[in-house]
Amino acid sequence: MNHPDTPSESETLTHLFRSLGNLYAPGERLVYVNRDIDFNHIKVVGFDLDYTLARYRQAELEQLTLEVVFEKLYRAGFPQDFELDHGESAFAMRGLVVDRQEGNILKLDRHGYVGRGYHGLQALEQRVITRTYREQRVGVEKKRFSPVDTLFSLPEVNLFAKAVEHFDAQREAWEANGFSEYAQVWDTIRSCTDASHQDDSIKDAIRADPGRFIVLDPDLPEMLHRLRSLGKKIFLLTNSEPEYASVLLEYLFQETGRGYTGWESFFDWMIVAARKPGFFTEGRPFVEVATGKETTRPKRNVVYSGGNQSDLQTALRVHPDQILFVGDHIYDDVVKSKKNFGWRTALVVEELEADVMTRRNWSIMIEEVEALRGFRQKLSREVARMKFGLNAMDRSRQEDGLHLDGRVIANEEYNAGRSVLLAEVARKRRELKQLDRRVQQLASTVAQAFNPYWGSLFWEAHDTSRFAQQAETFACAYTSRASNLLFIAPEETLFAGAGKLAHSWRLP
């Protein structure tokens, strides 16, 4: 007989099973699916580097970017008293759109209409948004609007917001330096930021101290090892130059173990300086980094630069739908790889972790907002139908009198009944106004819990945002970290929720 404190064989086995095979992940680490993925069917998994395998410390990177870019902005003619306060560097988020013409920064819903916006750092009133953007779906004029699709772009938006305020306050000073339009200000910020990346001003600082800027994810080597142990082939596909990519990867895989001799041993194919999205549409040769030799047949265990998707596809020797490519850029990584060859795609959305946790912490108020909106919809419908019925009664009475049970309703009786109905409509309208104020108050409180300026990355008002719509349309899956693939079982099928049209939510 076992001692009461001694675990049984079955309990011991259960504990061992859980310790060795535990794939539990909290909501913020799950892989969310828009299209079913049979993971057993996936034979090859590819990864981008920046903001995918390598997660940056955003605050540190933004501070570095601002320090480097400010020098170039002053040389380009920005006023010397132009600067960015610390709190203002938290303004921007991914998924926004910059209106170069008006100096506005906008957040759109899934249909491309403006939900909220700022002129500089000042919130736009709804009447201004309606007057300025009611005639169009924002983004159609590509020269006027610039999408903010990557975390690398956030410092540019912060700078532009502050520059718009400075421009409005000191227009003469800006015009004296050659800036007469908001578009010139935005274009200068963009060009100076691009120059800072291209001349290695930013990368040199990161190379010198990667630990200051890169998050060391202990799950990353284990995730790649598990994929390889399951027989899946792994490739790296990044726009980063060879030396920079090598520094980041050496830092990320400094603790290898399990027989791995360095970061290269985790990958079967390695392509750097890929120049996405051109990699997916053009036919550049692969160039062996060590020798400079060109080829159209990339070999395993060799680091290449350049190249193209077609030749890589041939080298992988699997069908397109057996390849899962993981990246953070909605266009460069996800749209192009999926549209051109039909690769399966997973979008890394770092902000998802905070979004899920905020949604969990504020779930009670979120549910209350949704319930009140449902009640508001019902009450609004009742008011509209009562008003319609009153109008129909008035028209019928004017045409041939109003009859009930074979008799004509007298004026006094009709007016008394009509007054009661009008009073009920007025009461319901007052209730609607009170309900609107309550919903607006609660929704505003919830939105500020996600982001004090913009609300949730994935939602705008009571609809999904432009960013969420793009992720849903083009990414087969999305998750907060590349290493979250660690929590997928080898033969697991990831099922997407059933897409439903508005009418299918209700039974007839």
Side-chain angles (χ1 to χ4, degrees):
M1 176 181 292
N2 289 334
H3 189 278
D5 294 331
T6 303
S8 66
E9 290 184 4
S10 124
E11 290 173 335
T12 302
L13 187 60
T14 300
H15 175 74
L16 180 63
F17 168 80
R18 288 176 176 171
S19 64
L20 295 179
N22 182 16
L23 295 179
Y24 168 78
E28 59 269 21
R29 297 291 302 276
L30 291 176
V31 177
Y32 295 90
V33 185
N34 298 318
R35 178 187 170 199
D36 293 356
I37 298 178
D38 180 356
F39 206 64
N40 194 43
H41 182 71
I42 299 297
K43 305 302 180 184
V44 179
V45 183
F47 295 91
D48 179 36
L49 176 56
D50 297 293
Y51 282 114
T52 301
L53 294 177
R55 295 166 54 223
Y56 287 88
R57 301 184 192 277
Q58 190 63 28
E60 293 283 356
L61 181 61
E62 288 195 30
Q63 183 59 39
L64 170 64
T65 303
L66 293 174
E67 291 172 0
V68 172
V69 171
F70 261 114
E71 297 179 9
K72 294 180 172 61
L73 291 175
Y74 293 142
R75 291 200 296 268
F78 272 42
Q80 292 296 313
D81 63 343
F82 170 70
E83 57 185 13
L84 194 67
D85 296 334
H86 177 71
E88 294 163 342
S89 64
F91 170 73
M93 71 183 298
R94 183 156 47 162
L96 304 177
V97 173
V98 173
D99 183 346
R100 299 168 62 254
Q101 176 180 301
E102 298 294 331
N104 295 336
I105 302 162
L106 313 169
K107 186 180 177 202
L108 315 183
D109 66 15
R110 66 182 294 112
H111 304 291
Y113 292 99
V114 179
R116 69 185 76 194
Y118 285 78
H119 181 76
L121 294 167
Q122 302 302 312
L124 294 173
E125 296 181 6
Q126 188 57 50
R127 60 182 180 82
V128 176
I129 291 176
T130 301
R131 183 178 68 243
T132 308
Y133 300 108
R134 73 186 308 168
E135 301 295 335
Q136 62 178 310
R137 293 178 69 248
V138 171
V140 175
E141 299 178 48
K142 296 187 181 299
K143 186 176 180 181
R144 174 177 172 181
F145 298 101
S146 294
V148 182
D149 296 316
T150 74
L151 294 175
F152 276 129
S153 300
L154 301 193
E156 301 169 6
V157 181
N158 289 326
L159 284 168
F160 184 62
K162 184 62 175 181
V164 166
E165 294 210 324
H166 198 283
F167 183 90
D168 290 342
Q170 302 185 34
R171 184 176 291 266
E172 291 184 1
W174 284 82
E175 291 178 345
N177 291 346
F179 294 94
S180 59
E181 299 176 348
Y182 297 121
Q184 293 174 285
V185 177
W186 171 252
D187 292 344
T188 302
I189 291 172
R190 287 284 298 112
S191 63
C192 288
T193 306
D194 285 345
S196 298
H197 286 287
Q198 293 166 3
D199 66 10
D200 287 345
S201 299
I202 295 174
K203 293 176 183 175
D204 284 346
I206 298 174
R207 276 195 292 253
D209 188 6
R212 176 187 168 193
F213 299 98
I214 303 297
V215 178
L216 193 60
D217 186 347
D219 291 334
L220 202 57
E222 180 64 24
M223 180 271 294
L224 292 180
H225 168 72
R226 181 173 292 179
L227 292 178
R228 292 177 63 86
S229 66
L230 296 174
K232 302 187 190 300
K233 306 304 179 186
I234 310 296
F235 70 87
L236 172 73
L237 180 63
T238 175
N239 283 352
S240 289
E241 296 296 324
E243 292 183 5
Y244 182 72
S246 181
V247 170
L248 265 56
L249 290 162
E250 286 175 4
Y251 177 75
L252 291 171
F253 297 97
Q254 56 186 274
E255 300 291 339
T256 53
R258 297 181 182 270
Y260 293 96
T261 57
W263 69 266
E264 295 95 333
S265 57
F266 282 91
F267 301 93
D268 296 284
W269 288 270
M270 295 158 280
I271 301 101
V272 297
R275 299 180 186 175
K276 296 175 291 182
F279 179 89
F280 299 110
T281 57
E282 301 170 9
R284 289 189 296 268
F286 291 85
V287 180
E288 190 173 338
V289 171
T291 65
K293 181 181 178 181
E294 293 186 359
T295 182
T296 58
R297 298 181 179 181
K299 299 178 181 179
R300 293 172 65 175
N301 305 318
V302 177
V303 181
Y304 295 96
S305 65
N308 63 86
Q309 186 181 26
S310 179
D311 289 337
L312 177 60
Q313 175 72 58
T314 301
L316 296 177
R317 301 180 68 180
V318 295
H319 296 292
D321 65 355
Q322 293 177 304
I323 301 170
L324 175 67
F325 185 57
V326 185
D328 73 292
H329 198 293
I330 191 72
Y331 292 112
D332 291 1
D333 294 325
V334 173
V335 174
K336 293 297 183 181
S337 64
K338 184 176 183 178
K339 274 191 171 183
N340 284 30
F341 278 80
W343 287 2
R344 306 306 301 275
T345 55
L347 180 67
V348 174
V349 186
E350 193 171 303
E351 305 93 322
L352 181 62
E353 287 194 15
D355 195 278
V356 169
M357 288 188 285
T358 302
R359 192 168 300 279
R360 181 190 303 137
N361 294 337
W362 290 78
S363 60
I364 294 177
M365 189 172 290
I366 291 173
E367 290 171 3
E368 182 180 359
V369 170
E370 292 304 314
L372 289 175
R373 280 181 175 145
F375 181 61
R376 185 203 180 283
Q377 182 180 12
K378 180 180 178 181
L379 189 60
S380 178
R381 185 185 300 117
E382 289 179 2
V383 169
R385 292 180 176 182
M386 289 180 69
K387 187 64 177 175
F388 176 79
L390 282 167
N391 291 337
M393 288 170 56
D394 288 342
R395 288 194 301 271
S396 177
R397 179 169 176 255
Q398 291 172 2
E399 291 171 359
D400 56 1
L402 198 61
H403 297 76
L404 179 65
D405 297 332
R407 65 182 181 85
V408 177
I409 298 178
N411 288 340
E412 291 183 0
E413 182 182 359
Y414 174 80
N415 290 333
R418 189 174 187 277
S419 296
V420 171
L421 290 174
L422 284 173
E424 180 67 6
V425 169
R427 184 187 66 79
K428 287 181 179 291
R429 280 180 170 169
R430 288 194 299 272
E431 190 175 347
L432 262 179
K433 289 182 178 180
Q434 294 174 352
L435 194 57
D436 282 340
R437 287 194 294 269
R438 178 60 177 163
V439 169
Q440 186 176 6
Q441 180 186 33
L442 290 176
S444 176
T445 300
V446 170
Q448 289 186 20
F450 286 94
N451 181 288
Y453 297 98
W454 302 105
S456 170
L457 170 66
F458 298 92
W459 297 92
E460 179 48 43
H462 59 279
D463 204 350
T464 49
S465 65
R466 168 183 174 272
F467 177 85
Q469 182 270 331
Q470 291 173 326
E472 181 182 23
T473 301
F474 297 112
C476 301
Y478 62 99
T479 190
S480 61
R481 308 183 193 182
S483 60
N484 292 346
L485 296 185
L486 180 66
F487 302 109
I488 300 176
E491 297 184 4
E492 184 173 356
T493 297
L494 305 176
F495 291 102
K500 293 185 177 182
L501 294 173
H503 73 278
S504 60
W505 289 102
R506 296 174 56 195
L507 293 175

